[in-house]
Amino acid sequence: MSRPRSRGFTLLEVLAAVALLSILYTTLAGVAIQGLRAEGEAQRLLEASLLADEQLAEIETVIASGGAPPVGRSESEHDLFLVSVNVAPVDLALLLPGDAAAAEGEGQSLLSGADESPVSLIEVVVSWREGVGERSTTRTTYAFDPLVVADLLGAAGALPGQPGAETTR
């Protein structure tokens, strides 16, 4: 009489299934860790971007109220972030086309009489440590110094309502 064959798994089949599941779980755990790392990096980038926008909005508020940010560099720390604000005058002669730059050299430009540039480059850089490296985000804008512009326009007689100022319609 023959014995009926059992319908269970052999030890070899069970070991193969365990090995396959361990490879699958290891891969899934690696993907999950990468996802969490990417989420953390995105969160820090978002916080840094909001901080840079906030600093730029404060500077723009000062400008809108008739002031000008001081020329130079300043740094401050906010939680994990280092915020650097750099305000530098812009040499407008470098931005003018060749003929206009030559005309400025002859004293025909409104800006040629300025002792200081009425335009400032404002750069806000927020940096932080990310793993073994450093990451940063930057916001850049330009601003007119209203006092310098008013002096230039007043000296040229270009302010409306002043004697010698021409208005066209």
Side-chain angles (χ1 to χ4, degrees):
M1 173 180 221
S2 71
R3 261 173 68 180
R5 191 174 166 129
S6 69
R7 303 203 75 135
F9 293 106
T10 65
L11 182 59
L12 185 60
E13 291 171 331
V14 171
L15 288 175
V18 168
L20 184 64
L21 284 175
S22 67
I23 292 172
L24 178 67
Y25 286 143
T26 303
T27 303
L28 287 176
V31 169
I33 289 171
Q34 285 179 342
L36 288 173
R37 184 177 298 129
E39 180 184 2
E41 289 174 4
Q43 178 66 30
R44 283 184 289 282
L45 178 61
L46 175 64
E47 289 175 18
S49 295
L50 290 173
L51 186 57
D53 291 341
E54 179 184 324
Q55 291 292 318
L56 200 55
E58 288 176 12
I59 293 169
E60 289 173 345
T61 302
V62 169
I63 293 168
S65 66
V71 173
R73 182 180 180 94
S74 64
E75 290 185 348
S76 61
E77 289 189 27
H78 296 271
D79 295 328
L80 303 173
F81 303 103
L82 176 65
V83 180
S84 300
V85 178
N86 188 26
V87 179
V90 176
D91 186 2
L92 296 177
L94 297 176
L95 301 178
L96 297 174
D99 294 339
E104 183 182 9
E106 297 171 9
Q108 297 177 6
S109 171
L110 177 64
L111 299 174
S112 65
D115 294 333
E116 57 185 297
S117 177
V119 179
S120 295
L121 169 67
I122 303 170
E123 185 176 57
V124 177
V125 179
V126 179
S127 57
W128 67 99
R129 301 288 301 168
E130 188 79 52
V132 295
E134 185 173 296
R135 303 265 324 258
S136 66
T137 185
T138 303
R139 299 292 185 270
T140 303
T141 190
Y142 292 88
F144 280 100
D145 184 342
L147 299 175
V148 174
V149 172
D151 289 344
L152 287 173
L153 293 175
L159 289 175
Q162 287 191 346
E166 296 181 22
T167 56
T168 57
R169 293 184 188 230

